[in-house]
Amino acid sequence: MKVLILSCNTGGGHNACAQALVQKLEQMGHESVTKDALGYVSDRVSRIVSNWHVRFYRHFPKLYGKGYQYAEEHPATFDEDSAACRLLRSGCARMRQEIESGGYGAVICTHLFPAMMLSYIQHALPLAIRTCFLATDYTASPSCSCVSLDACVIPDASLTEEFVRAGIRQETIVPLGIPVRAMFEGGSDPAQAKRAFQINPAHRHLVIMSGSMGCGPISEVVSCLAKKMPESCELSVVCSSNKKLYRKLRMRYGHKKNVHVLGFVKNIAKLLDSADVFITKPGGISTTEAVVKGIPMVLINAVGGCETHNLEFFVSRGAACTADTPKELAWQSLQLLQNEPRCASMRRAMQELDYAGAAARICKLVCEEA
């Protein structure tokens, strides 16, 4: 079967989900193509949305969170007559032409925007294809009521009622999890992984990362950690695409032997294998990757919005902890790093969630029922 995967360039998570599905579909003998859904509106619109998303996310996180809160409290923000929906509908004809000319048997949406666009298409004149929306956060996003596809894959069965209240038809909801790339579903020896990143295998290792855009109070947390961290512990800071943060931290901590400032890390899965504790913002994808790896998490509520819901989900299940200030986050991290019984408890909580294998379950659902 040929499957079209529709994503959006708003952060790395949605594209990472798409990559996970591509890997699994290929392994199962299916063909797939991944497209940026906003490109059907125009390449210019796609660039503008992506660039402004990064700017707000990185530089104005509180404003980003307020915008999400406003959308939650004002459902009309995404009703059919709204400017946002009119913009999305303007790309539906080109999306439909892609599906028809490409010979696709199924379409999977890893972002709400393509799911809305595909729902408009199917409402106007249904295509004979299998359609699926994949929710990538542990909450029902605003405007879910605009989505009406054959299947809505949610991260956890406990969220079913929330998605129903948000407007998703219950009979379409399938709790199969969030797919992660194949490298996260295996593992290497922690000591070997530490050596690969120049970490002493006898040392405890903290990894701090804040998404593909390197946002949040990373600098402040690192400052607190660097002051209190014993010599038997090492810290790796992943700045990802945030070059300004990378230069700043390299200048400040380049001389410290137990602080490692990294830019974009290609094999992040192996870096997690080397970690004893993972400090991260609660993105739906990064938290799921950590859970599949079984790495205890300290979550930074840097942005708010859907990530606050993700944070609350994992903290309530004993798979993570959090704090309100950089100083408290650093303290929590160091306490957890030196408390193996508590780390073991978090790992057990992650095992009980049983999130590995989501990509295979989703591909099987879509391809076998199409």
Side-chain angles (χ1 to χ4, degrees):
M1 175 180 291
K2 190 175 181 182
V3 180
L4 176 62
I5 302 171
L6 297 175
S7 185
C8 271
N9 296 322
T10 52
H14 305 287
N15 290 334
C17 272
Q19 291 169 17
L21 295 172
V22 167
Q23 290 174 346
K24 188 54 63 175
L25 286 166
E26 182 179 350
Q27 184 181 334
M28 295 169 66
H30 300 289
E31 182 183 354
S32 67
V33 175
T34 302
K35 295 281 187 176
D36 167 25
L38 289 180
Y40 296 118
V41 177
S42 76
D43 290 339
R44 182 171 179 269
V45 165
S46 179
R47 286 195 302 272
I48 290 171
V49 171
S50 176
N51 290 340
W52 277 103
H53 180 271
V54 171
R55 289 179 187 178
F56 274 95
Y57 210 77
R58 183 181 290 169
H59 302 296
F60 309 104
K62 290 184 179 179
L63 188 58
Y64 184 95
K66 288 290 184 184
Y68 187 94
Q69 183 180 353
Y70 180 88
E72 285 184 311
E73 296 171 353
H74 299 81
T77 304
F78 287 97
D79 67 22
E80 289 194 4
D81 296 323
S82 68
C85 286
R86 290 199 302 272
L87 181 68
L88 292 175
R89 282 202 299 272
S90 70
C92 286
R94 283 182 285 275
M95 181 184 286
R96 184 185 185 94
Q97 182 180 14
E98 167 80 28
I99 296 170
E100 290 180 323
S101 63
Y104 298 103
V107 180
I108 304 174
C109 304
T110 66
H111 191 283
L112 196 62
F113 288 167
M116 292 167 67
M117 295 169 73
L118 188 57
S119 296
Y120 299 145
I121 290 171
Q122 292 300 80
H123 178 73
L125 185 62
L127 294 162
I129 56 171
R130 177 74 174 168
T131 60
C132 176
F133 167 51
L134 174 58
T136 56
D137 286 294
Y138 291 80
T139 186
S141 300
S143 72
C144 271
S145 59
C146 299
V147 175
S148 182
L149 301 178
D150 296 324
C152 174
V153 174
I154 65 173
D156 193 273
S158 66
L159 300 169
T160 299
E161 287 304 315
E162 179 182 341
F163 277 83
V164 171
R165 288 194 302 271
I168 299 292
R169 290 178 289 123
Q170 184 160 3
E171 64 271 20
T172 68
I173 294 175
V174 195
L176 299 181
I178 296 175
V180 300
R181 288 162 288 174
M183 61 181 174
F184 290 97
E185 295 200 328
S188 56
D189 175 68
Q192 181 186 16
K194 286 180 180 179
R195 290 190 190 95
F197 289 94
Q198 287 76 56
I199 307 297
N200 186 330
H203 288 179
R204 300 285 281 175
H205 186 206
L206 271 169
V207 171
I208 182 168
M209 186 173 82
S210 197
S212 61
M213 293 173 277
C215 66
I218 297 297
S219 182
E220 295 88 338
V221 176
V222 171
S223 176
C224 295
L225 286 168
K227 292 174 185 175
K228 300 289 186 180
M229 196 167 56
E231 292 183 4
S232 59
C233 297
E234 298 193 43
L235 171 67
S236 292
V237 190
V238 182
C239 301
S240 299
S241 63
N242 193 331
K243 295 179 181 179
K244 183 178 179 181
L245 177 65
Y246 175 78
R247 290 193 296 269
K248 176 182 177 180
L249 296 182
R250 285 282 294 181
M251 187 176 297
R252 186 174 295 176
Y253 302 108
H255 66 285
K256 288 187 71 69
K257 292 183 178 180
N258 63 343
V259 177
H260 312 275
V261 181
L262 310 173
F264 179 79
V265 177
K266 187 173 182 180
N267 195 346
I268 197 69
K270 191 159 191 174
L271 183 62
L272 287 185
D273 286 332
S274 76
D276 296 290
V277 171
F278 183 38
I279 312 171
T280 183
K281 74 178 187 64
I285 312 305
S286 55
T287 49
T288 304
E289 290 169 348
V291 167
V292 172
K293 280 289 187 186
I295 310 298
M297 295 185 291
V298 179
L299 299 178
I300 306 171
N301 196 7
V303 179
C306 58
E307 295 195 355
T308 298
H309 297 288
N310 296 339
L311 180 150
E312 292 168 348
F313 181 90
F314 286 111
V315 170
S316 69
R317 282 154 179 79
C321 62
T322 189
D324 294 328
T325 68
K327 185 176 181 179
E328 291 169 339
L329 285 162
W331 184 86
Q332 283 271 16
S333 303
L334 291 173
Q335 289 295 306
L336 182 59
L337 195 67
Q338 299 171 72
N339 189 340
E340 180 52 35
R342 192 178 178 204
C343 286
S345 176
M346 283 188 176
R347 288 192 290 268
R348 286 193 297 272
M350 292 174 175
Q351 289 173 352
E352 289 174 6
L353 290 171
D354 191 25
Y355 286 162
R361 293 190 291 269
I362 293 165
C363 292
K364 184 178 180 182
L365 169 79
V366 170
C367 295
E368 290 191 357
E369 294 192 15

